[in-house]
Amino acid sequence: MTKLISTLFWLALMAASGMLHAEDEEITPNVEDGVVSIRITEPARKVGYTVGDILERDITLEIKHPYKLIETSLPIVGYEKRYQGQKIGIDLSSIHHVKQEHDASTTHHIKLAYQVFTNNVVAKHAALPQEYVKLIKDGKVVKYRIPSWDFAISPLSIFGAVKIEYDMSPFRGPLILHSAKEQQRLYAFAAVLAVSLLGLLYILGTRSWLPRMGRPFARAYRDLRKLAKAPAPTAQTLQLAVSRLHKAFNTTAGQGVFADNIDMLIAMKPGFAILHDDIAVFFQLSRQVFFEPGASHQAGNDPMQWLLQFCRRCRDCERGLKPDTRKLANDLAHNKVQA
């Protein structure tokens, strides 16, 4: 009996305390505008919460001097708010407060964690309660209201048949598809595409934007392309093309390269070994162009185009690439038949 009377006494005391607190909030005047600025980070969504879930609010209050926050007026952990005398089923489970002093103001970072202690057979409206904090200036106490935040509590189970069109709560935001995996794949494919384009630029490019792209045969290939665009290549054009290739060979080897020291060039530049037969054909063509007009060669009926392709293969070799040997073998075989 004594225990029951004690319990009833404490309940009455808490109710009286709540009434006094409410009356005190009504009597205390509001702080004037411009003294307090507030920033609130609310929970990420407004629906889908069930009993036991925790919702967090990050509140930043900046209070101008000479006003000061009465820290004992901050929300009390475990105090369950009421609405029209009824418990709302939202309990403040923890509070974290950090204060930073400035020259003209004080910033208070307040993190409130509320836990849901209510449930229903259907979705119901709820709200994180408004909170009042008190400020003091020259012995005068004023209050500032932290606004409430509305959300919806979902039932643990649905009672009866529910039509989705009747359950379109205004608190439910649009359905958002998570695209993180697709974005990662997109970035990966974009990286592969960029590397592929860079490789094509390195293989097919005629400029010297990248390392090993401005070497002698790359420059010679640009010059030969210009000569090959002439409407009707003449003997003088062919001589210029052959001379340009001789210059590229000499620059590459650092000395004169002739038909009898091709092996010396290949020993210095092993990457050109695959073009040994093609280089020999080039010197045959050079002898016919400059010294022996009647000499035979295996450069085909269009020596200018052959020189252009040959120079491109040499350019690939100096870049560390491997020319298409199948095409090279077919060209040589075709030229031998014509010879």
Side-chain angles (χ1 to χ4, degrees):
M1 186 68 179
T2 304
K3 185 176 182 180
L4 177 60
I5 293 174
S6 177
T7 303
L8 292 175
F9 172 77
W10 282 109
L11 289 175
L13 184 62
M14 289 178 64
S17 176
M19 292 175 62
L20 291 174
H21 181 69
E23 291 178 359
D24 185 51
E25 287 180 351
E26 292 179 359
I27 295 173
T28 305
N30 294 320
V31 65
E32 59 188 82
D33 294 338
V35 174
V36 181
S37 60
I38 186 171
R39 297 190 303 274
I40 305 179
T41 302
E42 306 289 9
R45 67 182 193 276
K46 286 193 171 185
V47 297
Y49 298 101
T50 58
V51 60
D53 285 345
I54 294 179
L55 295 83
E56 294 184 346
R57 303 182 82 187
D58 288 330
I59 303 170
T60 301
L61 295 175
E62 186 173 355
I63 303 173
K64 294 183 178 179
H65 295 162
Y67 283 93
K68 293 185 178 296
L69 175 69
I70 301 177
E71 297 187 14
T72 55
S73 67
L74 290 173
I76 301 173
V77 174
Y79 179 74
E80 190 171 3
K81 293 283 187 176
R82 295 174 180 264
Y83 177 72
Q84 295 181 350
Q86 301 294 323
K87 293 182 179 181
I88 63 175
I90 306 295
D91 178 31
L92 181 63
S93 59
S94 69
I95 179 173
H96 182 69
H97 174 220
V98 176
K99 179 172 64 174
Q100 292 179 330
E101 294 286 350
H102 308 290
D103 293 338
S105 64
T106 303
T107 302
H108 298 268
H109 300 279
I110 306 170
K111 186 173 184 178
L112 302 175
Y114 295 89
Q115 190 165 19
V116 179
F117 282 102
T118 183
N119 187 43
N120 204 341
V121 294
V122 294
K124 62 178 290 188
H125 169 264
L128 298 183
Q130 62 182 3
E131 304 285 0
Y132 286 92
V133 295
K134 294 182 180 179
L135 315 177
I136 188 170
K137 172 190 173 184
D138 299 331
K140 180 182 178 181
V141 177
V142 293
K143 71 176 184 291
Y144 179 78
R145 184 179 71 90
I146 299 174
S148 62
W149 184 75
D150 295 334
F151 67 102
I153 300 175
S154 299
L156 292 177
S157 61
I158 302 297
F159 178 76
V162 176
K163 293 184 178 181
I164 188 63
E165 59 267 24
Y166 297 151
D167 191 36
M168 297 302 290
S169 168
F171 299 103
R172 177 179 293 143
L175 297 177
I176 299 176
L177 297 177
H178 297 286
S179 59
K181 292 184 178 179
E182 287 72 15
Q183 288 181 351
Q184 291 177 356
R185 292 173 183 171
L186 180 61
Y187 295 149
F189 291 151
V192 172
L193 177 61
V195 173
S196 301
L197 292 177
L198 190 63
L200 287 175
L201 175 65
Y202 193 74
I203 294 172
L204 304 177
T206 59
R207 303 297 176 183
S208 56
W209 297 326
L210 296 175
R212 305 180 74 175
M213 289 187 69
R215 294 192 170 185
F217 284 102
R219 296 193 296 268
Y221 183 66
R222 290 196 294 270
D223 294 340
L224 262 64
R225 288 183 65 187
K226 295 177 182 178
L227 293 174
K229 291 179 180 179
T234 61
Q236 183 179 5
T237 303
L238 190 59
Q239 289 179 358
L240 289 174
V242 173
S243 297
R244 189 65 185 84
L245 277 172
H246 273 295
K247 180 179 179 181
F249 274 116
N250 296 340
T251 304
T252 300
Q255 58 181 319
V257 180
F258 304 99
D260 56 356
N261 62 351
I262 296 177
D263 293 335
M264 177 272 299
L265 169 67
I266 293 176
M268 296 175 60
K269 303 292 180 180
F272 286 84
I274 195 172
L275 296 181
H276 185 281
D277 294 339
D278 233 9
I279 296 173
V281 172
F282 166 72
F283 281 106
Q284 292 176 2
L285 178 61
S286 175
R287 186 172 68 253
Q288 190 267 342
V289 168
F290 288 108
F291 305 109
E292 302 178 17
S296 62
H297 60 77
Q298 299 177 15
N301 296 327
D302 192 349
M304 192 65 201
Q305 286 300 318
W306 185 91
L307 286 173
L308 187 65
Q309 294 301 320
F310 170 65
C311 184
R312 179 173 176 175
R313 292 165 184 159
C314 292
R315 184 200 65 182
D316 291 343
C317 289
E318 73 178 358
R319 288 183 180 177
L321 304 173
K322 185 177 180 180
D324 189 351
T325 55
R326 292 174 300 177
K327 186 176 184 302
L328 175 62
N330 293 335
D331 289 348
L332 288 174
H334 178 68
N335 292 336
K336 288 180 179 179
V337 170
Q338 288 185 343

